[in-house]
Amino acid sequence: MSTSDTVEQDEHQGEAASRPLEIAFGLVALAFTAGYLFLTTQIGLRREAAPGQIDARFWPMVIGVTGVAVAILILVVAITRPAPGREDLDRVRSGGVIRVVATLAIAGVFIAVWSVGSVILFGYRIEIFPIAAALLMAALMLVYGHRRWLSLIIYSVAVTAFVYVVFGMLLRIPL
């Protein structure tokens, strides 16, 4: 076996098992879902639901309780059992961390811009969501390696239009 064959095998070898990583994931999942569950209790209601009826908090609370239960299960499994092998995963490559940071930054900018709601420009009210969502899609596609401009524009506009029509127009959810 030559040196290049050894390098080739090492490059495609999976990551080593890591109990601290599994425990850290369980703790982060528990913190995130517990925060989500807390936020569901803060949902304002116009009026309380009558006994036997479902209010606006019901489904978010079901999701939050389920998430906390699953996170606790993940944490218990991570503590009590040996860490599972990760042979099926590729090693972390250069640029991966930068992509994650860029994704978080793009999402943060999207949320900040979206929170503006709408602007009045030249006497016309312009909704920010469609513009921000199309730019979000295009920016994420660029970060993850898409380079064909025509499909980048078509896909970004199509997904944004779909979300806007379904949620904004049909379901009348304020975007």
Side-chain angles (χ1 to χ4, degrees):
M1 206 154 47
S2 69
T3 308
S4 65
D5 290 339
T6 306
V7 171
E8 185 78 23
Q9 275 185 338
D10 289 342
E11 184 177 315
H12 296 292
Q13 191 174 23
E15 292 285 336
S18 174
R19 177 182 292 262
L21 182 64
E22 298 293 325
I23 293 172
F25 177 78
L27 289 171
V28 168
L30 182 59
F32 181 79
T33 55
Y36 175 85
L37 183 60
F38 171 75
L39 290 175
T40 63
T41 64
Q42 306 303 310
I43 294 174
L45 299 176
R46 293 182 193 155
R47 61 188 168 121
E48 293 292 326
Q53 290 184 338
I54 295 175
D55 60 14
R57 287 186 197 141
F58 180 76
W59 285 112
M61 192 154 308
V62 167
I63 292 169
V65 168
T66 304
V68 167
V70 169
I72 290 171
L73 183 64
I74 288 171
L75 190 58
V76 167
V77 168
I79 291 171
T80 59
R81 295 199 177 159
R86 300 185 301 163
E87 296 82 23
D88 57 335
L89 301 177
D90 289 336
R91 291 194 176 274
V92 175
R93 296 175 190 239
S94 62
V97 174
I98 293 171
R99 284 185 175 149
V100 169
V101 171
T103 300
L104 292 174
I106 290 168
V109 168
F110 170 72
I111 291 169
V113 169
W114 183 16
S115 67
V116 171
S118 64
V119 295
I120 296 178
L121 192 61
F122 303 116
Y124 293 100
R125 183 172 175 241
I126 299 172
E127 293 291 326
I128 296 292
F129 175 78
I131 298 165
L135 292 174
L136 168 79
M137 291 298 302
L140 288 176
M141 289 172 67
L142 285 171
V143 165
Y144 286 95
H146 190 82
R147 298 291 181 251
R148 294 188 59 215
W149 285 100
L150 184 60
S151 60
L152 184 95
I153 292 168
I154 291 171
Y155 184 75
S156 297
V157 170
V159 169
T160 300
F162 176 77
V163 169
Y164 188 75
V165 167
V166 169
F167 291 97
M169 297 173 121
L170 296 177
L171 297 175
R172 299 199 186 275
I173 296 172
L175 299 172

